[in-house]
Amino acid sequence: MSNSDDTAPKTQFESSPSALPPPMAPEVAGADTEAGTGFGIGAITRRWRREAILQRGSLALRGLGLLFSLLAFLVMASNKHGDWKNFDRYEEYRYLLAIAILSTLYTGGQVLRHIHELSTGKFLLQQRTSAMVDFFGDQTISYLLISAASTAVPLTNRMREGADNIFTDASAAAISMAFFAFFVLALSSMVSGYKLSTQSYI
């Protein structure tokens, strides 16, 4: 009996154990599937969270830009103390005032738009158009602010060498507010550039 059993033909898998397919590990396969599904949901969740943070960050930066621009405008516009101590007698100060007004209008409009979008979930502009407006608008206004502030600095320094009074102090305060507005809008332009570069439709 044992001889006949030994001489019986063997199947392919019996004669070659290495040809057997590797045993399936259902727990590993299931883990891979769950990991793949979790990765997809996690990626979407992280993207939504990142976009929400960027929106709130943009709103905060533009809110600060609005505050500093408005202060620069108000301080310079009220800087009239008679005779030579009137801002409108100097081209540099008139230029700073004009840019502060422009920056106030721009940042005010942007703040209102972002508040509307965050509260209603509806976009006033198409996303591509909105990203372009944010990026180029922030770049342009921040450049104008640093230009106006830099132009007014030499005049103020010369005045303070001869007489340091309320007029020169107010001028220096308005210039400082313009610099602060430039700084926050420059940061906002970096955020806008990042949002623009990560849009899926570009």
Side-chain angles (χ1 to χ4, degrees):
M1 278 304 281
S2 59
N3 293 335
S4 62
D5 292 340
D6 294 337
T7 58
K10 297 182 178 180
T11 62
Q12 178 183 359
F13 295 121
E14 292 174 342
S15 60
S16 179
S18 60
L20 287 171
M24 293 298 294
E27 67 278 5
V28 177
D32 290 342
T33 304
E34 292 175 2
T37 305
F39 176 77
I41 296 175
I44 295 174
T45 304
R46 286 193 298 272
R47 180 179 178 183
W48 287 347
R49 188 181 298 114
R50 183 174 65 248
E51 289 179 352
I53 292 173
L54 288 175
Q55 282 185 329
R56 288 179 174 81
S58 296
L59 176 59
L61 288 172
R62 291 194 176 94
L64 289 174
L66 173 61
L67 174 64
F68 292 136
S69 300
L70 183 61
L71 287 174
F73 158 58
L74 293 176
V75 171
M76 185 57 74
S78 61
N79 196 17
K80 302 184 73 171
H81 305 281
D83 196 15
W84 63 272
K85 295 179 287 187
N86 288 336
F87 82 91
D88 52 5
R89 297 190 57 174
Y90 306 95
E91 183 179 357
E92 294 87 347
Y93 292 157
R94 293 198 304 269
Y95 177 45
L96 179 62
L97 177 66
I99 299 305
I101 293 173
L102 181 61
S103 179
T104 301
L105 293 176
Y106 169 77
T107 52
Q110 288 283 60
V111 166
L112 291 177
R113 181 173 69 85
H114 279 285
I115 291 176
H116 176 270
E117 291 177 353
L118 286 173
S119 60
T120 63
K122 298 179 180 179
F123 291 93
L124 297 177
L125 302 172
Q126 293 182 353
Q127 288 188 340
R128 179 182 178 85
T129 304
S130 176
M132 299 286 284
V133 168
D134 289 348
F135 178 68
F136 289 109
D138 292 346
Q139 290 269 352
T140 301
I141 297 300
S142 61
Y143 170 77
L144 291 175
L145 282 167
I146 193 62
S147 172
S150 300
T151 301
V153 165
L155 174 63
T156 306
N157 287 338
R158 288 195 302 269
M159 287 184 176
R160 299 188 79 168
E161 289 176 357
D164 193 0
N165 48 45
I166 187 173
F167 177 71
T168 56
D169 289 343
S171 300
I175 293 170
S176 299
M177 293 301 103
F179 271 118
F180 288 146
F182 155 75
F183 180 71
V184 295
L185 283 182
L187 290 179
S188 180
S189 70
M190 294 176 64
V191 175
S192 301
Y194 174 77
K195 291 167 60 177
L196 185 63
S197 64
T198 55
Q199 292 293 337
S200 59
Y201 45 77
I202 295 180

